[in-house]
Amino acid sequence: MTEPAHDLPRRTGTGLPRRGFLGRTAGLAAGAVLLDALAAPSSSARPSRSSPVRTQSGLVSGVPAAVSGVTVFKGIPYAATTAGRNRWCPPQPAPSWQGVRRADTFGDAPPQASTTLTMSEDCLNLNIWTGATGGRERRPVYVWLYGGGFSAGTGSDPSFDGSVLASKGAVVVTINYRLGALGFLATPELSAEDRHGVSGNYGLLDQIAALKWVRRNIAAFGGDPRRVTVGGQSAGAGSTDMLSMSPLATGLFRRSVAESQVRYPSDPELRYLGVSLRRMDTALEQGPAYAASKGANTLAELRALPWSKFTDGASLKDETVDTKSVAKPPLFRPVVDGWVLPAGYMATYEARAQNDVWYLAGNNLDESGAVPETAFDYWRSAGYPDRPGAPPVHVTLDDYVTAARQKFDAMADEFLALYPAATDDEAALASNDAIRDNSRVSTYLWGTKWTKGADRPVYTYFWTHRPPGPDHDIRGAYHGSEIVYFFGNLYPGTQGWTDQDREIADTMSSYLANYISNGDPNGPGLPKWPAYRPGSPTVMQVGEHYGPMQVASADKLRFWTRYFATQDAW
């Protein structure tokens, strides 16, 4: 299917070339410390600064993070509560306070379907990890956006602990933004009260407000407001792409990181994901129908309901979208509103209207419906994961052929000749091959469009490492499995991490720290990561192996390119 990449080399020495960044050996030690600290915080850790930090709202004091020399500031409000009259309004300025606010506790999470999180509508808060010893330092900044299909997630997730990246010289910020109906409801009445005449993108407006807060305040934490990178995974990756297209975010960041879900606009796989943008007219029809299901006929009645009535986003599908498969996207997701998002992906790229930012984007081995070979029997028994945004998994011959004819129509016979199968196991293997080719080719072709409107470098990757633990045989290198490695944060500590995992985490977090710093993941001691080139259909394999690989064989690349050309663009 692809050319093999090189095995992971065993190496020592320095890693990060810029002053103020730890080498790879020191980073590996920091990762080990973090692993232990997350299991039981160490009293030996020392904060990098003991004096309070002044923000525009007031003074805050942090606490020692999981790596010695790093301070974390938790639960800082970047906007006011979204309850009451502020529900379904753009984020309002954060309140001020007197004295020193002790930022030692994560703030409330956005309302969602959860039995473990402390949630409220006063959820627009952020967290900062920094190793800077004063406000005169100017370290690069990484703002992280969680995934979860725009219906789940929180910036306080332990997987996003920024201690290791902060120890490697970055200032790490994780944020909360509104989810589900509270973040993405659109109705004519909401649009009528808005000064721009639109509704439906409150979650994106939260993200933009957080970036503006960073612009105004991050220097006090040792960050450089002129060197901000925005990154995310899944819906967070989609948010990164949308912010990279939004004129409201112009100038607020210089670089983007998108872990999964950056796709060519004509790829039907895009349609079932949470990042399949809604049309405004469709959203304005869906909103009142949803309100009626809650027994509300007016905006005032909607605002009078408790927030617990609006936590069902993860269970609601948008049945109006033809995805060329049985999968459907979540109902609540961003809207092409003409203001936050003036146009969809293809129209933006073809108009060369995106923000001119660096880009790092990639996909995983076992996502989008691809599964480990050890999981075929499991999925035959478990069946299709029937939830919004979830891809179909094809592990029987009948299902594989039926799905191929639904997706490829007149090109189905050609597809089945390129990816043949005569048994259930052959069908499962062929499905994996096709899904992975689709994913890599789609991101490669996305790059051909993106780079026409942005002059900055692009780096793409394909993540192949299957973490240890209970998910190894069933989920493999699953959707999101790369996150803790990029953060250098092998959480939870009970998962059975090996020396190989620690070295991979050190390598990936070093790549990311370099990219955050200067727009290039490469550095001494790291396998060479070539920049994306439109005329070179290759991608950097990372994780289990390191090195360039073909996105697909030449005949399959031609097939996918022709197929996408027959599809409507998103």
Side-chain angles (χ1 to χ4, degrees), residues 348-409:
T348 300
Y349 301 158
E350 291 190 339
R352 303 184 179 186
Q354 70 266 44
N355 296 322
D356 189 14
V357 296
W358 285 256
Y359 227 111
L360 189 153
N363 304 288
N364 293 3
L365 180 72
D366 298 316
E367 66 180 357
S368 302
V371 297
E373 293 77 5
T374 50
F376 291 167
D377 288 341
Y378 170 85
W379 285 109
R380 286 172 190 143
S381 173
Y384 166 65
D386 188 17
R387 61 182 185 274
V393 177
H394 306 305
V395 287
T396 68
L397 180 61
D398 286 346
D399 186 44
Y400 173 65
V401 173
T402 299
R405 298 207 176 279
Q406 180 179 0
K407 179 172 181 176
F408 298 103
D409 196 26

Side-chain angles (χ1 to χ4, degrees), residues 144 159-160 233 259 480-489:
W144 173 258
S159 300
F160 311 150
Q233 183 268 345
E259 299 175 27
S481 61
E482 82 293 347
I483 294 174
V484 296
Y485 294 88
F486 272 92
F487 272 88
N489 164 20

Side-chain angles (χ1 to χ4, degrees), residues 187-227:
T187 72
E189 197 172 356
L190 278 170
S191 295
E193 77 170 20
D194 181 79
R195 65 190 183 96
H196 300 283
V198 297
S199 56
N201 280 327
Y202 306 105
L204 294 183
L205 289 172
D206 294 344
Q207 296 169 7
I208 293 168
L211 288 172
K212 290 180 177 179
W213 189 98
V214 167
R215 169 62 62 90
R216 295 190 303 266
N217 294 279
I218 205 64
F221 298 86
D224 187 346
R226 299 167 300 176
R227 279 200 295 163

